[in-house]
Amino acid sequence: FLAHFVGLVSLGGAFFIGTGSYMAAILNTSFGLPPLLTIPAATILGAFICTLFLIPCLPLRGVYFAIVTLMYPLLLIRVIEALDIFGGTDGIVGVTNFTNHYFIIIMVLLFLFGLRRLVNQDLGLVLRAVKDNDQAVRASGMSITYYKTIAVFIGSTMGCLAGAYLAHIYMWAGLSSFAL
């Protein structure tokens, strides 16, 4: 989505998956929420966190944005190891098992349907314009950073959904979540 419609090549998919995984594990183990609540909540909360981390990087273009997005999962692995937070190198264990494949299939189909509708709306046209000629979009008085932020939020939402579901399948969230 990010590369095709906005022109932001992101190598930080592991950042999205790892954040969603850790958020689901924390919501499930620390707050005792059931998987049907932790997966959507971790998806939205994780996407919000990922977007906040990536906002300073949005002015970057091309390979520079890709390199910075690759740096985030590597950085977070080292921070978690050094500070021994979120279970340190052992990770967060005891996540409730949830292997309802129909749930994730329905969620993915809803995402695909929603994205298809989105890219055919005015917002999708602006996102494609940002990819094609961001200077023209800026000259028309629109904020490129605003539209890139929306796109990063949408892209990270998909990754965080995958991470949240994987945490419940593996019943664990750890540093390898950032290496997927």
Side-chain angles (χ1 to χ4, degrees):
F1 173 76
L2 287 174
H4 183 68
F5 287 104
V6 190
L8 293 173
V9 177
S10 173
L11 298 175
F15 174 53
F16 303 148
I17 292 172
T19 304
S21 178
Y22 269 103
M23 291 308 302
I26 290 168
L27 290 173
N28 184 255
T29 58
S30 298
F31 296 105
L33 296 176
L36 285 175
L37 290 178
T38 60
I39 292 173
T43 299
I44 300 299
L45 190 60
F48 181 71
I49 290 169
C50 291
T51 303
L52 284 178
F53 270 92
L54 289 175
I55 283 176
C57 310
L58 292 179
L60 300 174
R61 292 191 214 171
V63 69
Y64 302 109
F65 183 80
I67 290 170
V68 170
T69 58
L70 179 62
M71 178 261 329
Y72 275 115
L74 301 173
L75 173 70
L76 288 177
I77 287 172
R78 299 298 175 236
V79 168
I80 291 170
E81 284 177 344
L83 299 178
D84 199 30
I85 56 175
F86 305 129
T89 56
D90 295 331
I92 300 172
V93 295
V95 180
T96 305
N97 186 13
F98 183 72
T99 55
N100 188 343
H101 298 301
Y102 295 115
F103 173 77
I104 197 65
I105 289 171
I106 290 170
M107 293 296 289
V108 169
L109 288 175
L110 286 173
F111 260 111
L112 291 175
F113 177 75
L115 280 178
R116 179 73 177 161
R117 299 277 300 158
L118 177 78
V119 299
N120 291 323
Q121 301 295 323
D122 291 340
L123 179 62
L125 294 173
V126 173
L127 293 178
R128 279 184 266 171
V130 168
K131 175 188 174 193
D132 293 337
N133 191 350
D134 61 343
Q135 297 300 326
V137 174
R138 183 176 288 124
S140 66
M142 291 188 256
S143 171
I144 294 173
T145 305
Y146 173 75
Y147 289 105
K148 284 184 178 180
T149 303
I150 291 172
V152 166
F153 182 78
I154 293 168
S156 61
T157 301
M158 291 184 279
C160 288
L161 172 66
Y165 187 64
L166 285 173
H168 286 287
I169 287 177
Y170 296 144
M171 298 183 294
W172 174 80
L175 296 179
S176 65
S177 301
F178 288 111
L180 293 174

